[in-house]
Amino acid sequence: MGSYLVRRLASTIPVVVVVAALIFFVLRLAPGDPALAIAGDGATPAQLEALRAQLGLDKSILQQFLIWGESLLRLDLGQSLYYHIPVTTLIGQRLPPTASLAILTMLISVPIAVYLGALAASRQGSSIDRMVNASAVIAFSIPVFVLGYVLIWLFALKMGLLPVQGTGPADAGLLTKLKYFILPAVGLAFGQIALLTRVTRASVIDVLHEDFIKTAYAKGASAKRVLWRHAVRNAAVPIVTIIGLSFAVLIGGVVVSETVYAIPGLGKLTVDSVLARDFPVVQGLVIFFSFTYVGINLLVDVLYVALDPRIRY
């Protein structure tokens, strides 16, 4: 296990390097002049040249990449042009709301999706199965921002049960803070539940046709025990894989949801930085999200060994 972990960590290095290089060259070679975008149309040629020199844009693209790569190795993502603080500091300040929202979303979506998927699989072709499938299709089809405004209108404005926007006072307690994250987390969880439910259903149905399931029934095991002890457990690998892959979908949803609910997290920072043309922050955020995604997929690979004893490395 230890050697596998070392090999798997080593294999992520080329992935991380390629991702970082792609991000750099895509942003640098994109049409438009960053200096002109920052200084505005009223800037003089001298001011533009001075700004290009300040940003290092007067150097060749290869020199810029080497300088940027060296800074990246020192975890230096540059200075925000709008907030005038280091990008790493800015990301650290905005990370807690985003992490809280993502964790709460997964805590809501994973148990519900696994239960509904297993229930539908155990009653394949029944009215429950059809209802779960239809609900999953509908939930996956609703855009996050539309669902967000519907939830605000219903639970915040009409019923007054939950706050409309924000994250609450800085000195508020945990339960008060939690109320501010319920609506955005539920809105994000709809899509996650729909995706995971369908994958869980398909995976459990495949396992239920295996011979060892028939053997379990022949030994007198109850349907409930066969489903949760044998079928769901052996279907866990594809389910965990989809949970890892769905993180990319969750990141996109977080950007939209934080904007709708005015949550000062990384998603709202991404939108604000794009609108302010603060490209060091945009570049840093893309790298942060990419590296996080690579890290989660690494964690998923490691979990395979714990979930399926047949897997050996």
Side-chain angles (χ1 to χ4, degrees):
M1 182 65 180
S3 60
Y4 165 72
L5 190 58
V6 172
R7 289 199 306 273
R8 193 64 186 83
L9 281 170
S11 68
T12 61
I13 294 175
V15 176
V16 168
V17 171
V18 170
V19 168
L22 280 175
I23 292 169
F24 175 84
F25 285 110
V26 166
L27 290 177
R28 284 295 192 277
L29 298 177
D33 185 353
L36 180 61
I38 295 167
D41 295 333
T44 64
Q47 289 174 325
L48 290 175
E49 286 301 319
L51 187 54
R52 290 191 187 101
Q54 178 188 344
L55 298 175
L57 299 175
D58 56 339
K59 298 181 174 60
S60 68
I61 189 73
L62 183 58
Q63 286 179 307
Q64 292 180 45
F65 177 68
L66 293 175
I67 294 172
W68 178 78
E70 182 184 357
S71 300
L72 186 61
L73 288 175
R74 292 185 277 105
L75 300 180
D76 181 7
L77 298 176
Q79 189 91 357
S80 168
L81 302 174
Y82 182 77
Y83 296 96
H84 304 292
I85 60 175
V87 175
T88 50
T89 303
L90 196 54
I91 291 176
Q93 292 173 348
R94 299 296 188 93
L95 180 59
T98 301
S100 302
L101 179 57
I103 292 171
L104 185 58
T105 300
M106 298 309 288
L107 288 177
I108 293 173
S109 58
V110 172
I112 295 175
V114 171
Y115 176 76
L116 291 178
L119 181 67
S122 65
R123 291 167 171 76
Q124 186 181 5
S126 67
S127 57
I128 293 177
D129 183 26
R130 288 193 291 273
M131 186 172 65
V132 169
N133 274 323
S135 301
V137 172
I138 293 172
F140 202 71
S141 304
I142 302 176
V144 173
F145 72 94
V146 172
L147 184 59
Y149 286 120
V150 170
L151 292 174
I152 289 174
W153 175 79
L154 181 61
F155 292 101
L157 300 180
K158 283 292 180 183
M159 303 176 70
L161 296 176
L162 295 167
V164 177
Q165 290 181 323
T167 58
D171 57 348
L174 180 60
L175 290 179
T176 303
K177 287 279 188 184
L178 182 62
K179 289 181 180 178
Y180 284 85
F181 285 95
I182 289 177
L183 285 185
V186 169
L188 283 173
F190 262 70
Q192 299 289 318
I193 291 172
L195 175 64
L196 295 175
T197 297
R198 291 180 66 85
V199 172
T200 301
R201 176 185 176 276
S203 302
V204 173
I205 285 176
D206 287 341
V207 175
L208 285 174
H209 289 93
E210 295 288 339
D211 290 339
F212 70 89
I213 295 293
K214 297 173 185 174
T215 304
Y217 277 121
K219 289 183 176 179
S222 65
K224 186 176 180 181
R225 179 180 175 86
V226 169
L227 176 64
W228 293 105
R229 183 69 182 269
H230 300 284
V232 174
R233 184 175 180 180
N234 284 278
V237 170
I239 296 171
V240 170
T241 302
I242 293 300
I243 291 175
L245 294 176
S246 67
F247 186 76
V249 180
L250 183 60
I251 289 175
V254 163
V255 172
V256 177
S257 191
E258 287 186 354
T259 304
V260 171
Y261 291 95
I263 295 174
L266 295 178
K268 192 170 189 307
L269 177 62
T270 304
V271 176
D272 293 342
S273 300
V274 170
L275 294 176
R277 305 186 184 212
D278 195 348
F279 77 88
V281 177
V282 175
Q283 188 172 264
L285 286 168
V286 174
I287 288 176
F288 176 79
F289 285 134
S290 302
F291 287 7
T292 303
Y293 186 67
V294 171
I296 287 177
N297 278 278
L298 173 63
L299 178 63
V300 168
D301 287 349
V302 173
L303 283 175
Y304 286 166
V305 181
L307 292 172
D308 192 343
R310 295 170 298 181
I311 299 177
R312 289 289 181 268
Y313 297 95

